[in-house]
DNA sequence: TAGTGGTCTAGACCACAGA
DNA sequence: CTGTGGTCTAGACCACTAC
């Protein structure tokens, strides 16, 4: 079904996650893996490249490939660097209450991000989102209705992303995110039950379809104590010389 | 000097940044680029892979590769997903005031992250960092002195990262980061001049050397109004089927 | 010296978007 | 139908590490 390197990637990842391959351990060399999986070296490298980008393994030039230890965290919900959907894909029990649902003229900032003109209409959705029954995110969403038509109140109450992919058959491919800390405002106090000394973790996002069209601009204000953003950065080889 | 794909990557990137290749424009096909740069297709794909991961281009299967428009931001200092150094590499005028500089026994949490034993000594540095003369970060740094020896007060006042790479000749290769919003505490009020309703953007980081050794654990509390964390997420092809 | 990952070549076949 | 990126093969040489 999937490609060969994807199968190998999944296999190795699961071996790491289940502890068959232990942190610090050296895994087989690329040539040995070729034999084991009966494929060419490039296929193995494709798989190892993904594992390395995701922080599962670490490659030491001229020495070998090693399992990296995964330190994981606290009581917060983890928003991964690779997560594209607002929420519904990562967390389990997500429900939403729609606070506002209206069509406006697009403002300048949103128009810029969504590549729209000043006089274009935009769908604005303001939702309170619950995880396991607890109100934890206040989310402002701006959708381009020419790209994503037919979003109803019912869709907004559930998952817009699922509607886009499953009903419209479009593919969400990438997202740009900017994360900041913000003092809480009146709505945060009211809906997220925050004190005025307690902040939100704000994630501003522009999401793109698989043809490069930006379709959504959103501001998601997360309860500071319930979310964290994790990422793994890998420096490229020659980058330091520049 | 650098590898061929790196040269091609740099060349294409600069063409995008200088506007020779414009947002939305389709660039040459991979086979055409092979001829232009006189190399094999894999070398071209290596270059395009990086551009794609970094959000410069967007590949549409069976159609072509397109330049993506880069939206950039506000008045804040951008902490990029790919930035490894705390600061000194990205911003220009960074100075530091050392608040504490001492050797302690490592605590359990730090020991876990740095792969150390309970009775091991750890170097603890507490610094206030200024950008353009403004106090904007309070940073707690824990260093493993067995891995990074010879850090002096003088080093701490300047750049620990530069000392590691330039003086010790070690290579910083990767980092795991966890970003959260936190209410400001007394030190934040005192040193960063925050009000009690104003938060910090906290980045917790474990940094690794090029051989996979964790050498530093740090907590950096950033003035909420001066920093943002940006990232670009790209979904992998088959990921959706899982 | 032997083994490793990094780089590169020169091909190949596929499924499907777009004309 | 043609061109495209996605995947894959079966090699190759290199510089360096660890022994």
């Amino acid at each position: 079904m999937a490609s060969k390197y994807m199968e190998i990637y999944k296999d190795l990842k699961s071996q790491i996650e289940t502890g068959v391959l232990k942190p610090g351990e050296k895994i087989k060399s690329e040539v040995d893996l070729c034999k084991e999986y009966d494929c060419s070296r490039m296929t193995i490298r494709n798989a190892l490249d993904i594992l390395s980008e995701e922080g599962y393994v670490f490659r030491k030039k001229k020495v070998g490939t090693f399992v990296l230890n995964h330190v994981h965290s606290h009581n917060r919900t983890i928003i991964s660097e690779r997560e594209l959907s607002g929420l519904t894909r990562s967390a389990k029990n997500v429900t939403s209450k729609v606070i506002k649902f209206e069509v406006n003229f697009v403002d300048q900032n949103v128009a810029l991000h969504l590549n729209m003109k000043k006089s274009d209409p935009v769908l604005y959705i303001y939702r309170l989102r619950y995880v396991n029954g607890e109100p934890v995110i206040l989310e402002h969403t701006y959708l381009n209705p020419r790209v994503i038509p037919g979003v109803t109140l019912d869709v907004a109450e559930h998952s817009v992303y699922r509607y886009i992919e499953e009903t419209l058959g479009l593919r969400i491919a990438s997202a740009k995110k900017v994360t900041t800390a913000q003092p809480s405002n009146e709505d945060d106090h009211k809906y997220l039950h925050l004190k005025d000394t307690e902040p939100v973790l704000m994630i501003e996002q522009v999401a793109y379809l698989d043809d490069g069209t930006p379709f959504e601009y959103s501001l998601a204000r997360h309860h500071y104590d319930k979310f964290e953003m994790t990422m793994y950065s890998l420096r490229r080889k020659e980058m330091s010389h520049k």
Side-chain angles (χ1 to χ4, degrees), chain A:
Chain A
M1 173 143 314
S3 49
K4 200 184 282 191
Y5 74 79
M6 217 53 188
E7 294 301 332
I8 298 172
Y9 156 76
K10 283 180 191 161
D11 188 36
L12 290 174
K13 186 168 111 170
S14 101
Q15 286 189 45
I16 292 169
E17 280 170 344
T18 60
V20 177
L21 294 172
K22 294 185 184 60
E25 194 176 332
K26 183 173 170 180
I27 71 178
K28 291 205 182 81
S29 79
E30 298 182 353
V31 232
D32 287 351
L33 288 170
C34 291
K35 290 167 197 157
E36 180 170 330
Y37 288 101
D38 187 31
C39 66
S40 78
R41 195 164 152 224
M42 207 203 104
T43 305
I44 292 294
R45 283 184 66 79
N46 264 336
L48 290 180
D49 280 348
I50 306 178
L51 289 169
S52 153
E53 275 166 33
E54 294 183 348
Y56 283 97
V57 303
F58 168 79
R59 277 167 146 149
K60 202 171 160 184
K61 205 167 17 180
K62 294 146 219 167
V63 182
T65 302
F66 301 82
V67 179
L68 216 47
N69 55 334
H70 258 249
V71 181
H72 274 147
S73 10
H74 330 45
N75 300 315
R76 295 191 179 86
T77 298
I78 295 166
I79 309 165
S80 150
E81 174 188 5
R82 305 201 174 275
E83 205 58 53
L84 292 182
S85 99
L87 233 214
T88 4
R89 231 190 303 267
S90 54
K92 327 261 151 141
N93 291 310
V94 180
T95 54
S96 302
K97 191 173 84 176
V98 176
I99 301 170
K100 282 188 187 163
F101 181 91
E102 52 193 42
V103 177
N104 296 329
F105 286 114
V106 68
D107 71 31
Q108 203 183 0
N109 180 36
V110 176
L112 178 71
H113 288 295
L114 295 186
N115 214 356
M116 294 169 71
K117 284 171 200 146
K118 241 201 221 168
S119 54
D120 287 338
V122 69
L123 178 59
Y124 169 62
I125 306 171
Y126 186 25
R127 292 183 290 183
L128 174 59
R129 317 206 67 180
Y130 301 79
V131 173
N132 300 323
E134 228 181 336
V136 291
I137 306 176
L138 268 172
E139 188 170 324
H140 304 262
T141 307
Y142 299 84
L143 285 166
N144 185 342
R146 300 224 175 123
V147 181
I148 311 294
V151 173
T152 61
L153 193 55
D154 186 61
V155 169
E157 274 169 353
H158 299 87
S159 171
V160 174
Y161 280 66
R162 194 163 292 151
Y163 170 77
I164 292 171
E165 297 221 308
E166 292 173 14
T167 308
L168 297 182
L170 299 172
R171 210 178 133 61
I172 300 161
S174 65
K176 286 179 184 166
K177 296 178 190 178
V178 179
T179 304
T180 54
Q182 300 282 339
S184 50
N185 60 28
E186 282 184 20
D187 277 8
D188 301 327
H189 302 159
K190 178 172 163 191
Y191 292 111
L192 303 180
H193 309 311
L194 288 168
K195 296 175 194 156
D196 64 355
T197 56
E198 292 174 331
V200 294
L201 184 70
M202 189 174 90
I203 301 179
E204 182 186 2
Q205 172 172 291
V206 182
Y208 298 84
L209 291 181
D210 115 333
D211 61 358
T213 317
F215 68 94
E216 181 206 70
Y217 173 76
S218 70
L219 292 176
R221 302 174 68 88
H222 297 72
H223 189 294
Y224 81 105
D225 210 18
K226 312 284 188 210
F227 292 92
E228 60 185 36
M229 167 77 71
T230 70
M231 65 193 70
Y232 176 72
S233 323
L234 187 63
R235 198 204 289 191
R236 261 172 222 293
K237 301 88 217 177
E238 286 81 359
M239 286 310 199
S240 50
H241 293 316
K242 86 155 179 192

